[in-house]
Amino acid sequence: GAGVSQSPSNKVTEKGKDVELRCDPISGHTALYWYRQSLGQGLEFLIYFQGNSAPDKSGLPSDRFSAERTGGSVSTLTIQRTQQEDSAVYLCASRQLQGRGNTEAFFGQGTRLTVV
Amino acid sequence: QKEVEQDPGPLSVPEGAIVSLNCTYSNSAFQYFMWYRQYSRKGPELLMYTYSSGNKEDGRFTAQVDKSSKYISLFIRDSQPSDSATYLCAMSRYNTDKLIFGTGTRLQVFP
């Protein structure tokens, strides 16, 4: 596709339910990142994928959060037993890594999650 | 203490003003420095990128990095109402590393 696509764009869920957020990166981009942005806050790193493996998952806030990536493409972020503090915008970014140079990380529009 | 500190603003300036935005950081291992712009309800988009210390200019935008002081700046000349957005600094240790973001500074340019 032309850019990073995230779905759904908005999600309202009841406390205690599980949610799945999807990210379609730019075709050919090997690196994929998930971030969380709470109201008035910067972007909080969650997890980084290189291909299908996750060399850095240090930002996942609890074991209720998990993510996977299949076929080096689509990624799913799953939040189990959602809590109200999980309410935030979840942003995905992808990047084509080239040698030692820096390359731009392109962000999707985000999924706005509201837990009621 | 956060790794990257950024004044959240808001910063309100008249059209045509020079805007100065900045971030400080604590991790001396950071080598890649970026500025992102984020409009309301949109994802961030890259404005400027600098590797290590130095200045970089692109049109009305100038990015500066002072690694000795662990301080980076973004200057916007001849600011326009369309520049009204949140500006986020970001940095990483190496090109494959995660980006660490500041909290963002909200800028409003009024006509």
Side-chain angles (χ1 to χ4, degrees):
Chain A
V4 178
S5 177
Q6 292 188 246
S7 61
S9 54
N10 283 283
K11 176 73 177 178
V12 180
T13 189
E14 291 181 353
K15 178 181 171 182
K17 294 284 179 70
D18 298 352
V19 294
E20 282 190 355
L21 312 180
R22 177 186 168 105
C23 173
D24 277 280
I26 294 172
S27 178
H29 280 194
T30 54
L32 185 148
Y33 308 79
W34 282 99
Y35 285 85
R36 177 168 73 174
Q37 187 173 33
S38 303
L39 188 64
Q41 300 297 311
L43 277 70
E44 175 190 4
F45 169 77
L46 297 178
I47 187 169
Y48 156 55
F49 286 94
Q50 175 59 23
N52 289 338
S53 64
D56 189 346
K57 50 179 82 170
S58 61
L60 294 177
S62 76
D63 58 8
R64 297 186 295 105
F65 287 73
S66 63
E68 64 175 14
R69 189 179 185 195
T70 55
S73 182
V74 172
S75 176
T76 303
L77 177 69
T78 301
I79 309 173
Q80 295 178 310
R81 305 181 303 280
T82 51
Q83 303 294 312
Q84 287 185 328
E85 62 262 28
D86 299 334
S87 297
V89 176
Y90 289 82
L91 289 157
C92 173
S94 72
R95 202 175 185 186
Q96 179 59 287
L97 302 178
Q98 295 175 350
R100 294 169 55 88
N102 187 61
T103 56
E104 181 174 354
F106 291 87
F107 281 83
Q109 304 278 54
T111 293
R112 185 173 299 272
L113 175 66
T114 304
V115 182
V116 297
Chain B
Q1 184 189 5
K2 291 183 178 180
E3 276 191 289
V4 179
E5 298 280 356
Q6 185 176 9
D7 188 332
L11 184 60
S12 186
V13 301
E15 183 174 357
I18 296 175
V19 176
S20 173
L21 305 166
N22 46 70
C23 291
T24 58
Y25 62 94
S26 56
N27 190 343
S28 59
F30 287 139
Q31 296 188 81
Y32 294 90
F33 303 92
M34 287 141 278
W35 286 94
Y36 279 80
R37 178 175 61 194
Q38 186 176 26
Y39 291 111
S40 181
R41 294 185 174 264
K42 300 287 188 183
E45 55 180 345
L46 183 67
L47 264 182
M48 299 283 288
Y49 141 68
T50 309
Y51 171 69
S52 193
S53 282
N55 296 356
K56 189 170 187 177
E57 187 173 323
D58 184 1
R60 297 185 295 111
F61 299 90
T62 299
Q64 290 185 349
V65 174
D66 182 349
K67 289 188 72 179
S68 62
S69 302
K70 297 191 183 68
Y71 187 89
I72 70 170
S73 301
L74 176 71
F75 297 96
I76 307 174
R77 290 182 298 280
D78 187 25
S79 55
Q80 303 294 311
S82 58
D83 295 329
S84 298
T86 296
Y87 290 79
L88 298 140
C89 63
M91 45 199 80
S92 65
R93 295 169 297 178
Y94 41 90
N95 67 336
T96 58
D97 196 15
K98 64 196 177 204
L99 301 179
I100 304 297
F101 284 83
T103 53
T105 298
R106 191 156 63 89
L107 171 67
Q108 184 170 8
V109 181
F110 56 90

